[in-house]
Amino acid sequence: MKKSIQCLAACLLISLGTQAQDVYKNDRERWLEIAKATTPVLTETVKRPLKTVNVEKDEKSFQGWKITPKYSIDSLFNRSFKKNSGVIVDFGEHLTGFVSFKIEDNGRAADAPLRIKFTFGEVPAEVAVPFDPYQGGLSRAWLQDEIITISEVPTVITIPRRLAFRYVKMELLGSSRYSDFKLSDIFVKATTSVNTQAAPLAASTPELIRKIDQVGLTTLKECMQTVYEDGPKRDRRLWIGDLYLESLANTVSFKNYALTKHCLYMLAALSYENGVAPSNVFERPAPHPQINPLFDYALIYTVALKEYLEATGDKETANDLWKTVKQQIEIPKKYIGADGMMDYKKAEKEWWVFFDWRDGLDKQAALQGVVIWAYKNTYELAKMLGKEAEVKELPALIEKMTQATHKNLYDTKAGVFVSGEAKQISYCSQAWMVLSGVATKQEGAKALKALATTPEVVRPGAPYLYHYVIEAMIRVGMEQEAKDLITNYWGDMVNKGADTFWEVYDPKDDFLSPYNAYLVNSYCHAWSCTPVYFIRKYPAIFQK
Ligand code: RAM
C-alpha cells in the first residue's frame, strides 16, 4: 500500500503524461452506455437481529474475542434503552445494506435530543476494541461507527451510509434525564445482485469443504453488488484482480454473467487515456477510475475477458472489448529486453507491481510469469475470435521469454525458481512459473514440494496469492496438496468462526494488516471467495 501511494504521482506522470491522445476516444462513451445499461438490479431483503450477545475476552478465539448469547431480542425492543446502553445485537450472518432503527417513548415524551453511537462489526473484535487512537494507513472513516442525534421521538431513522456487518453495538451518548425511550426495532435492507442459488455439492463432499464452500458463497454474494466489489466494508469498488477471481467463482456458482459483462465494460470505459486498464474504478458519484496503474492487474484484464468469453460464448462483447486487450499486451513490451528478460527494476520503479501483500517479496519471477501467462491467454482469446493475425508476434515472444526465464531463474541444483538479485525463493515465484508454463510439470511439482522444507521461504501474505498457488498445484498434479491447502488455510478461518472470508489471513498472526491497523482490514473480501471456484470446478478433487 505504501508503495502504491508513493508510486501514484510518478506512475501517473509516466503512464499518462506522455500520451497526447485518448486511445479509446471513439469508444468510451458507448462503452459507458453499455455499462450503465447492464447495471444489475439489486435484490433487497429485510433482516433483523436474532439475539443480543456478549463479546468476551478469550485467548483461544480469533483476535482474542468470542461471542456468547445474552438475552432475547424482544427484551431489548421492549425495555428502556437507558438500561441497555452498550448492547450488542447479532444478525446471525454477514449482511450489506442500509440500516434503520425505530425509537419510541417509554413513558414521558422526550424533552431533549437523544444521541446513540452505533458500531458495526464484521468480526467480534470490531465491536470490542476501541477504534481510537487510530494509526492505520487508510482513512479512519472506513471504520464503521456512526453517531446519530435524534431530535424527535417517536421516529424511524435510516443511517445514510451503507454498512457491512454481522454485529451492531449501540451506546447511549446522551438523553433527557426526565424521559425514557426504547429502541423498538432495528433492521437492514440487505442487498446483493445474486438472484440464483448455487447448485448443491455432491453428497460425498467432506463436511469442512462443504462449510468452506458455504462461507465462500456468502463472501461472493456479499461482494456482488452493482459491481464485483473487493469488499462491502472497504474499499467497496471494482478492482481488476478481485473481479478476475470473483468472476471465476461466479461462473461455477451463481452464473450472473450480466454482472461480469457490466464490470468488463466499466473498466474498458474508464481505462486511462494511454490505454492501460485501470487498477480500480468507482461507480459514484459518477463513474471514474482511481489513477493508480497496477501492472499485473492491467494484464489480468485480458484473462478475465477470455474467461468471460469461454463461460458465455458472448463474442459480441469480446470483439467489442478486444482493443483494450491489444492495449494491455503493449505494456510489457517496453520492458522486455533483447534477451527475453524484463527490466524488472525499471518496471518496479514506474509501476505498482502487486501480486501479494507480503513485505519483502521479490516480484521479478512473478512479473516474467504473469506476462507470459497473459500473452498465452491473449493468444487463445485471439484464436477464439479469429484474430491471431493481429497478435502474431506473441508466440515468438512467449517462446523467447519462456526460455530466458528458465535459463535465468531456474536453479537446477535446488530444483526451484529464484527471483531477484538475492535469488529469493517464494511461493509467489513458483506459482507464476508454473502458471506461465516456464516450469515443466515435473519441475513445477518439484519446486512447489521443495518449499515446505526451504528455510527462509517467502510465504503468501493474503488469500489472493493462495489462489494462484492452488491453481499451480492442480496444474502440476498436486491434487492432495491443493486440497490440504484449502482445508487448512480457509478451513482454519472457518474454524475461527468466519462467516465470510478475510482480506488477509496468516494462520500465525491474527493481527496481520497491510494497513497497520487490523480493525480496518476487510473481513468479507472478494479475493478470498476463491475456494468456491476450486471446489466446484474440480469436483473429483474436492467433492469426495
Ligand atoms: C486493496 C484491496 C483490493 C486489492 C488491492 C490491490 O486495496 O483490498 O482487494 O485488489 O488492494
Side-chain angles (χ1 to χ4, degrees):
M1 201 61 188
K2 260 181 261 147
K3 165 88 192 168
S4 76
I5 293 162
Q6 283 165 8
C7 174
L8 195 80
C11 294
L12 181 60
L13 288 175
I14 289 157
S15 307
L16 308 178
T18 51
Q19 286 292 320
Q21 247 204 341
D22 177 3
V23 301
Y24 302 122
K25 191 167 82 253
N26 300 326
D27 301 286
R28 243 177 232 292
E29 263 179 47
R30 190 176 55 79
W31 284 345
L32 199 55
E33 281 312 311
I34 297 175
K36 280 188 187 151
T38 49
T39 306
V41 177
L42 297 178
T43 308
E44 258 182 28
T45 318
V46 173
K47 299 269 183 173
R48 291 190 159 77
L50 305 181
K51 54 181 185 278
T52 72
V53 293
N54 293 310
V55 53
E56 291 168 14
K57 262 209 147 90
D58 176 42
E59 265 179 33
K60 286 198 219 87
S61 297
F62 180 56
Q63 297 176 334
W65 298 97
K66 81 166 177 210
I67 294 288
T68 54
K70 202 173 179 186
Y71 51 75
S72 79
I73 205 70
D74 286 345
S75 44
L76 166 68
F77 288 164
N78 296 328
R79 285 208 299 216
S80 159
F81 190 79
K82 282 184 167 180
K83 297 191 187 85
N84 277 307
S85 179
V87 66
I88 298 170
V89 296
D90 177 3
F91 279 71
E93 61 187 313
H94 189 284
L95 296 162
T96 299
F98 289 91
V99 170
S100 304
F101 61 92
K102 187 171 178 186
I103 300 289
E104 288 182 88
D105 275 340
N106 195 29
R108 278 185 289 169
D111 61 345
L114 310 172
R115 181 165 290 173
I116 303 177
K117 179 176 172 187
F118 294 81
T119 305
F120 297 84
E122 295 185 308
V123 291
E126 290 169 282
V127 288
V129 180
F131 289 168
D132 299 298
Y134 176 73
Q135 269 153 3
L138 300 179
S139 167
R140 157 70 174 79
W142 283 121
L143 297 171
Q144 302 184 103
D145 53 350
E146 300 290 322
I147 293 175
I148 307 289
T149 302
I150 301 141
S151 311
E152 279 175 24
V153 178
T155 188
V156 176
I157 291 180
T158 300
I159 298 175
R161 166 187 189 176
R162 199 197 72 187
L163 295 146
F165 63 97
R166 171 173 169 171
Y167 306 104
V168 189
K169 179 163 75 181
M170 293 170 278
E171 295 162 285
L172 184 59
L173 301 187
S175 71
S176 159
R177 283 209 270 150
Y178 307 106
S179 62
D180 194 11
F181 74 99
K182 58 190 182 186
L183 181 126
S184 56
D185 197 7
I186 178 166
F187 60 92
V188 57
K189 271 191 190 155
T191 60
T192 174
S193 55
V194 171
N195 53 16
T196 52
Q197 285 207 333
L201 301 179
S204 51
T205 310
E207 198 41 41
L208 185 53
I209 297 266
R210 209 172 265 289
K211 281 192 190 146
I212 294 170
D213 178 69
Q214 189 47 57
V215 175
L217 286 174
T218 308
T219 308
L220 179 60
K221 178 215 37 147
E222 289 291 279
C223 293
M224 286 171 68
Q225 299 291 331
T226 45
V227 292
Y228 283 113
E229 293 185 8
D230 58 335
K233 166 181 145 184
R234 208 220 76 237
D235 314 328
R236 303 174 44 161
R237 71 191 79 150
L238 172 61
W239 289 83
I240 290 177
D242 301 79
L243 151 102
Y244 171 59
L245 299 192
E246 288 175 280
S247 62
L248 287 179
N250 171 64
T251 295
V252 295
S253 58
F254 302 127
K255 303 188 191 298
N256 184 349
Y257 299 118
L259 178 65
T260 312
K261 177 176 171 181
H262 170 69
C263 293
L264 290 168
Y265 267 104
M266 280 273 284
L267 290 161
L270 301 174
S271 287
Y272 308 129
E273 292 196 352
N274 64 353
V276 173
S279 57
N280 70 98
V281 301
F282 303 83
E283 301 168 273
R284 283 173 283 272
H288 65 286
Q290 187 185 44
I291 309 297
N292 194 4
L294 197 164
F295 197 105
D296 28 327
Y297 277 17
L299 288 171
I300 288 173
Y301 182 87
T302 65
V303 188
L305 184 62
K306 186 206 119 186
E307 294 288 345
Y308 169 78
L309 175 60
E310 244 171 25
T312 61
D314 177 2
K315 280 198 180 169
E316 199 185 329
T317 296
N319 274 315
D320 196 16
L321 299 177
W322 169 247
K323 66 175 66 150
T324 61
V325 172
K326 282 182 70 186
Q327 288 294 330
Q328 306 323 300
I329 63 171
E330 290 308 308
I331 299 170
K333 288 186 183 165
K334 132 176 191 211
Y335 303 94
I336 304 171
D339 62 350
M341 292 301 285
M342 308 254 309
D343 188 339
Y344 167 59
K345 281 198 184 144
K346 186 165 183 244
E348 251 250 314
K349 217 178 278 160
E350 296 182 354
W351 288 77
W352 180 11
V353 178
F354 176 60
F355 292 106
D356 187 27
W357 286 130
R358 173 64 80 193
D359 287 342
L361 174 67
D362 190 287
K363 299 168 185 172
Q364 183 200 17
L367 194 64
Q368 289 287 129
V370 81
V371 172
I372 299 168
W373 174 77
Y375 280 179
K376 283 184 166 171
N377 277 283
T378 297
Y379 201 68
E380 285 302 306
L381 174 61
K383 284 207 278 195
M384 288 156 80
L385 298 174
K387 292 183 185 296
E388 300 98 298
E390 293 184 36
V391 288
K392 57 179 181 314
E393 75 283 15
L394 289 187
L397 210 45
I398 291 167
E399 185 55 28
K400 181 159 118 181
M401 288 187 76
T402 303
Q403 285 189 13
T405 313
H406 197 278
K407 185 169 144 225
N408 289 289
L409 302 183
Y410 189 53
D411 178 339
T412 322
K413 229 168 108 206
V416 291
F417 289 85
V418 297
S419 184
E421 277 160 15
K423 302 199 179 309
Q424 185 187 77
I425 302 167
S426 67
Y427 278 77
C428 182
S429 299
Q430 315 312 312
W432 281 105
M433 291 297 90
V434 168
L435 297 175
S436 60
V438 169
T440 64
K441 202 172 167 192
Q442 290 76 7
E443 285 168 352
K446 191 173 171 200
L448 284 164
K449 282 182 185 154
L451 297 179
T453 52
T454 304
E456 319 266 300
V457 65
V458 179
R459 305 184 61 79
Y464 177 69
L465 178 56
Y466 275 99
H467 169 88
Y468 297 98
V469 172
I470 290 163
E471 185 79 75
M473 286 178 162
I474 294 173
R475 192 74 74 85
V476 299
M478 293 169 65
E479 299 184 347
Q480 187 57 43
E481 287 87 344
K483 190 174 180 180
D484 290 347
L485 191 50
I486 290 204
T487 309
N488 293 332
Y489 185 70
W490 277 273
D492 213 30
M493 288 192 240
V494 168
N495 291 333
K496 287 185 179 179
D499 305 292
T500 48
F501 288 124
W502 308 327
E503 174 182 18
V504 280
Y505 177 57
D506 180 341
K508 295 196 187 101
D509 180 6
D510 282 359
F511 302 97
L512 185 73
S513 169
Y515 320 109
N516 193 34
Y518 69 95
L519 292 173
V520 87
N521 287 4
S522 153
Y523 291 95
C524 173
H525 210 71
W527 69 22
S528 208
C529 76
T530 189
V532 167
Y533 167 71
F534 290 114
I535 293 167
R536 289 161 180 274
K537 168 105 179 170
Y538 303 105
I541 306 177
F542 295 100
Q543 297 190 33
K544 62 175 197 195

